[in-house]
């Protein structure tokens, strides 16, 4: 059995409590998903569970964990810089369990994950693998360890749709307990049987957590129903209170007026009766005040992010060709291998186009080539959001410093207003970007895209780090963007809700396809 007790996490820089007095028991068969807005402490808690040293630099913590007899394996949200510099075969050979597997076992695992059996012995650097290949390598090494507890931080990031389905199978059939974080609502709905919800309410001044032993969709529906019911009861009680308070006010006013106007002759007899009546009214008022303290509270929930991407100036005439792209051969970065031939892509007007395909087939490489062409065009305003945020972000700057282009006080005020709409606190706006969560970094980039005035967005995995609670809002923003979008994505909700056209990259080019959940 795995158990944690009374965990409290406090951010050292701004002394904000991100988790308070949290306890959890995980048993065999549990598939618990942690959800909550970006920056609410999900990844921080997971790191603490695996190794408290991982958060020592920025978090003060209290609490205890009991993991006796358990073997815990951890998939981080991002591969460490040290591991990125290792050759693939070194990465695997550093695990003592690697040598316990025979060639047949390795070939079977490679087949399940959609890689060639020689993958384990590559001399390629881990950091040069595609995002999906890195996740696959980490998951394969983790499963070699035969863990009893799986800690998975965004296991669906960057993996292709076939591997997403494999990930669902791994989680559902794992002979132990799984605690995971994911932005992929479909993966959550297909796997989780417990929901752990972290919230920051009252403008992030109070943290709250909920542990529900039900599937995700049931939790979301029941939570919405309970909030609506609680709100109805609270509003009705407040209406009744308003009527009652007005009645008591009139009674006090009437008795007080009669006392003020009573004649001297009637002061003794009638005055005593009026004073007694006033005393009864006051006693009734105090009783109602005690009852009011037990009134149903108005439901509190974390406010949704609010943001609009683009404006009228971002629209593109429906007849304008955004791109008519032809590429005879798509080569690997080192030009040693042909990934695909005869690629053609045509986009007109405000079309939203997504490119899908297996990990390592060259989607990001193709998107970078498309970006190189469009970013130099003068008749459109294109911007590029890479899969690796560090390509664009200055990690030592604060979000405000990164987004500020003029140094003008009014612009900084406007940026802070926008960041507030994206659920950043005043303190978080002044944190270095390197201290932000993956989802918060993505929001900074997204805001930068909007402030650029672009009418063509080139996006590599644009929804990969948003929580399932932010996901619907982000998808709506992208769907309502008045310009064109060219993207690479494996997010099935994004593909179905945002994209007009989905093309699969194969070795023979781009083919239109349908995506099903």
């Amino acid at each position: 059995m795995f158990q944690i007790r009374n965990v409290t996490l406090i951010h050292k820089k701004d002394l904000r409590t991100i988790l308070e007095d949290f306890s959890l028991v995980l048993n065999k068969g549990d598939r618990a998903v942690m959800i909550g807005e970006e920056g609410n402490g999900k990844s921080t808690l997971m790191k603490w569970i695996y190794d408290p040293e991982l958060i020592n630099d920025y978090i003060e913590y209290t609490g205890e964990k009991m993991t006796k007899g358990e073997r815990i394996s951890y998939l981080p949200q991002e591969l460490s810089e040290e591991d990125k510099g290792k050759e693939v075969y070194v990465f695997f050979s550093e695990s003592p369990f690697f040598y316990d597997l025979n060639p047949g076992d390795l070939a079977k695992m490679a087949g399940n994950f959609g890689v060639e059996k020689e993958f384990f012995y590559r001399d390629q650097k881990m950091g040069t693998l595609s995002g999906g290949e890195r996740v696959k390598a980490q998951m394969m090494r983790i499963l070699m360890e035969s863990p009893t507890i799986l800690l998975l931080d965004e296991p669906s990031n960057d993996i292709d749709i076939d591997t997403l389905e494999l990930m669902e199978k791994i989680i559902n059939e794992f002979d132990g307990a799984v605690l995971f974080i994911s932005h992929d609502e479909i993966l959550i709905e297909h796997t989780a049987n417990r929901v752990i919800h972290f919230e920051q309410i009252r403008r992030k001044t109070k943290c709250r957590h909920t542990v529900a032993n039900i599937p995700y969709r049931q939790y979301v529906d029941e939570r919405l129903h309970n909030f609506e019911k609680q709100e109805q009861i609270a509003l009705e009680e407040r209406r009744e209170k308003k009527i009652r308070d007005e009645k008591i006010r009139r009674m006090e006013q009437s008795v007080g007026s009669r006392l003020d106007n009573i004649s001297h002759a009637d002061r003794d007899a009638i005055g005593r009766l009026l004073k007694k009546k006033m005393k009864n009214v006051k006693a009734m008022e105090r009783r109602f005040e005690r009852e009011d303290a037990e009134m149903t509270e108005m439901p509190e929930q974390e406010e949704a992010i609010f943001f609009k991407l683009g404006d009228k100036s971002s629209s593109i005439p429906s007849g304008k060709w955004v791109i008519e792209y032809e590429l005879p051969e798509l080569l690997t970065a080192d030009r040693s291998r042909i990934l695909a031939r005869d690629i053609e892509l045509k986009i007109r007007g405000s079309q939203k186009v997504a490119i899908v395909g297996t990990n390592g087939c060259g989607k990001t490489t193709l998107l970078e080539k498309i970006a190189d062409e469009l970013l130099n065009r003068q008749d459109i305003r294109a911007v590029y959001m890479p899969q690796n945020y560090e390509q664009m972000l200055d990690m030592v700057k604060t979000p405000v410093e990164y987004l500020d282009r003029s140094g003008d006080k009014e612009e900084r005020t406007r940026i802070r207003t926008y960041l507030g709409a994206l659920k950043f606190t005043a303190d978080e706006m002044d944190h270095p970007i390197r201290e932000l969560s993956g989802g918060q970094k993505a929001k900074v980039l997204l805001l930068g895209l909007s402030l650029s005035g672009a009418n063509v967005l080139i996006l590599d995995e644009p929804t990969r780090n948003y929580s399932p609670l932010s996901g619907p809002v982000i998808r709506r923003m992208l769907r309502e963007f008045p310009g064109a979008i060219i993207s690479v994505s494996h997010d099935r909700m994004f593909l179905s809700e945002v994209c007009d056209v989905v093309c699969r990259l194969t070795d023979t080019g781009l083919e239109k396809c349908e995506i099903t959940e």
Side-chain angles (χ1 to χ4, degrees):
M1 184 180 71
F2 167 90
Q3 185 173 6
I4 56 177
R5 290 181 183 169
N6 311 119
V7 179
T8 295
L9 305 175
I10 301 173
H11 204 289
K12 287 182 178 180
K13 184 168 184 177
D14 54 34
L15 301 181
R16 181 168 62 94
T17 300
I18 58 176
L19 185 64
E20 185 172 21
D21 199 27
F22 175 74
S23 298
L24 177 69
V25 175
L26 282 181
N27 294 302
K28 185 177 180 179
D30 283 343
R31 302 183 298 279
V33 63
M34 295 198 291
I35 65 171
E37 291 292 345
E38 295 76 20
N40 279 10
K42 304 181 297 295
S43 294
T44 300
L45 175 62
M46 187 168 282
K47 289 175 182 177
W48 178 86
I49 292 171
Y50 182 68
D51 180 5
E53 292 293 321
L54 296 175
I55 62 171
N56 260 343
D57 288 347
Y58 64 100
I59 293 291
E60 292 179 359
Y61 52 83
T62 58
E64 58 180 332
K65 58 180 179 178
M66 285 144 280
T67 60
K68 186 176 180 181
E70 302 287 0
R71 296 186 304 279
I72 301 177
S73 290
Y74 168 57
L75 175 74
Q77 190 176 120
E78 297 289 346
L79 190 66
S80 71
E81 290 302 316
E82 181 183 357
D83 282 340
K84 285 180 182 177
K86 295 174 182 175
E87 290 83 1
V88 173
Y89 75 87
V90 172
F91 178 76
F92 282 107
S93 64
E94 287 182 344
S95 169
F97 301 94
F98 179 65
Y99 298 101
D100 294 336
L101 300 177
N102 61 46
D105 295 329
L106 292 175
K108 182 178 179 181
M109 181 177 284
N112 288 338
F113 277 86
V115 297
E116 72 281 3
K117 60 185 179 181
E118 292 79 17
F119 181 85
F120 303 101
Y121 305 102
R122 283 189 188 179
D123 57 6
Q124 184 178 354
K125 299 284 188 183
M126 288 288 294
T128 64
L129 296 176
S130 72
E133 287 176 319
R134 286 199 295 270
V135 174
K136 289 180 180 183
Q138 292 174 89
M139 279 302 301
M140 288 190 288
R141 196 173 92 161
I142 283 172
L143 294 176
M144 290 174 186
E145 299 170 1
S146 299
T148 59
I149 303 286
L150 278 181
L151 304 178
L152 308 176
D153 194 349
E154 297 287 5
S156 54
N157 271 1
D158 307 326
I159 56 178
D160 58 47
I161 292 173
D162 289 342
T163 311
L164 271 170
E165 294 172 353
L166 172 63
M167 189 67 71
E168 292 175 4
K169 187 171 186 287
I170 289 170
I171 293 173
N172 283 326
E173 297 180 359
F174 182 69
D175 188 24
V178 183
L179 180 64
F180 69 103
I181 303 166
S182 178
H183 70 274
D184 192 309
E185 293 159 71
I186 295 176
L187 179 136
I188 293 172
E189 289 183 16
H190 288 179
T191 57
N193 57 17
R194 300 182 70 187
V195 177
I196 304 164
H197 187 181
F198 300 121
E199 296 177 273
Q200 297 281 332
I201 57 177
R202 301 178 192 173
R203 297 184 181 273
K204 288 195 173 184
T205 61
K206 180 178 175 58
C207 59
R208 180 174 70 187
H209 61 264
T210 303
V211 179
N213 299 318
I214 54 178
Y216 173 72
R217 183 50 52 192
Q218 183 181 345
Y219 170 74
V220 171
D221 292 343
E222 287 187 7
R223 183 170 183 268
L224 178 61
H225 173 75
N226 291 338
F227 271 18
E228 291 175 346
K229 183 178 179 181
Q230 182 181 341
E231 184 177 33
Q232 289 173 358
I233 293 171
L235 289 172
E236 181 60 31
E237 289 178 351
R238 280 153 180 78
R239 280 192 292 268
E240 292 175 357
K241 178 182 183 302
K242 185 177 181 180
I243 294 170
R244 184 200 69 207
D245 289 349
E246 178 61 22
K247 183 178 180 181
I248 290 175
R249 187 190 66 78
R250 289 197 302 267
M251 289 172 64
E252 287 180 340
Q253 190 177 46
S254 175
V255 173
S257 177
R258 291 176 64 186
L259 275 170
D260 291 339
N261 297 316
I262 192 171
S263 67
H264 185 74
D266 295 332
R267 190 171 296 279
D268 290 340
I270 298 177
R272 283 195 300 271
L273 290 174
L274 289 173
K275 287 178 180 179
K276 185 176 180 180
K277 188 170 184 179
M278 179 63 82
K279 184 178 180 181
N280 289 337
V281 172
K282 292 292 185 182
M284 185 186 304
E285 190 175 20
R286 288 192 295 271
R287 177 167 60 83
F288 286 147
E289 285 177 355
R290 290 193 296 270
E291 291 177 2
D292 289 346
E294 303 299 321
M295 283 177 62
T296 303
E297 293 183 356
M298 289 293 289
E300 289 184 291
Q301 58 180 318
E302 200 165 18
E303 298 173 354
I305 63 174
F306 174 77
F307 189 66
K308 185 174 178 62
L309 191 61
D311 53 29
K312 289 182 179 179
S313 67
S314 303
S315 63
I316 296 179
S318 58
K320 179 178 177 60
W321 285 103
V322 174
I323 190 170
E324 295 180 90
Y325 186 76
E326 294 185 2
L327 184 66
E329 292 182 340
L330 176 64
L331 303 175
T332 55
D334 61 4
R335 306 184 64 82
S336 63
R337 184 163 56 95
I338 296 174
L339 296 169
R341 299 178 187 273
D342 302 325
I343 294 173
E344 292 185 6
L345 179 64
K346 296 183 179 181
I347 298 174
R348 181 157 45 186
S350 60
Q351 278 189 308
K352 313 290 191 286
V353 177
I355 299 171
V356 301
T358 58
N359 292 130
C361 71
K363 300 183 298 298
T364 292
T365 303
L366 175 59
L367 196 68
E368 288 173 345
K369 288 185 173 295
I370 292 172
D372 287 342
E373 178 169 314
L374 295 184
L375 292 173
N376 292 319
R377 288 260 296 276
Q378 300 300 311
D379 59 323
I380 59 173
R381 300 184 304 279
V383 290
Y384 174 48
M385 179 177 177
Q387 189 179 117
N388 179 8
Y389 303 149
E390 294 182 15
Q391 287 180 232
M392 298 285 290
L393 294 172
D394 187 336
M395 306 302 281
V396 300
K397 286 186 175 181
T398 69
V400 176
E401 290 170 341
Y402 171 77
L403 294 167
D404 181 20
R405 295 292 180 265
S406 69
D408 182 73
K409 183 178 179 181
E410 288 185 5
E411 181 177 2
R412 288 200 167 216
T413 300
R414 184 163 57 99
I415 289 169
R416 286 184 176 274
T417 301
Y418 288 145
L419 288 170
L422 291 173
K423 302 300 299 296
F424 283 79
T425 66
D427 287 321
E428 288 170 336
M429 295 177 198
D430 294 324
H431 285 181
I433 291 175
R434 66 171 179 272
E435 294 181 8
L436 301 179
S437 71
Q440 288 175 310
K441 292 172 185 172
K443 286 178 178 178
V444 172
L445 273 178
L446 197 63
L447 179 53
L449 300 188
S450 179
L451 294 175
S452 71
N455 56 11
V456 178
L457 305 182
I458 307 162
L459 310 174
D460 198 347
E461 296 287 358
T463 59
R464 65 190 291 264
N465 276 314
Y466 294 115
S467 76
L469 303 172
S470 294
V473 182
I474 299 297
R475 292 195 297 272
R476 185 175 69 248
M477 288 163 49
L478 292 170
R479 182 174 66 248
E480 294 175 354
F481 176 67
I485 295 177
I486 307 170
S487 63
V488 166
S489 181
H490 301 115
D491 181 343
R492 291 163 285 186
M493 297 290 277
F494 171 82
L495 296 174
S496 63
E497 293 182 13
V498 177
C499 302
D500 306 311
V501 178
V502 178
C503 298
R504 186 180 303 279
L505 179 59
T506 70
D507 57 3
T508 58
L510 288 170
E511 303 170 354
K512 287 187 180 180
C513 65
E514 297 290 332
I515 300 296
T516 60
E517 297 184 5

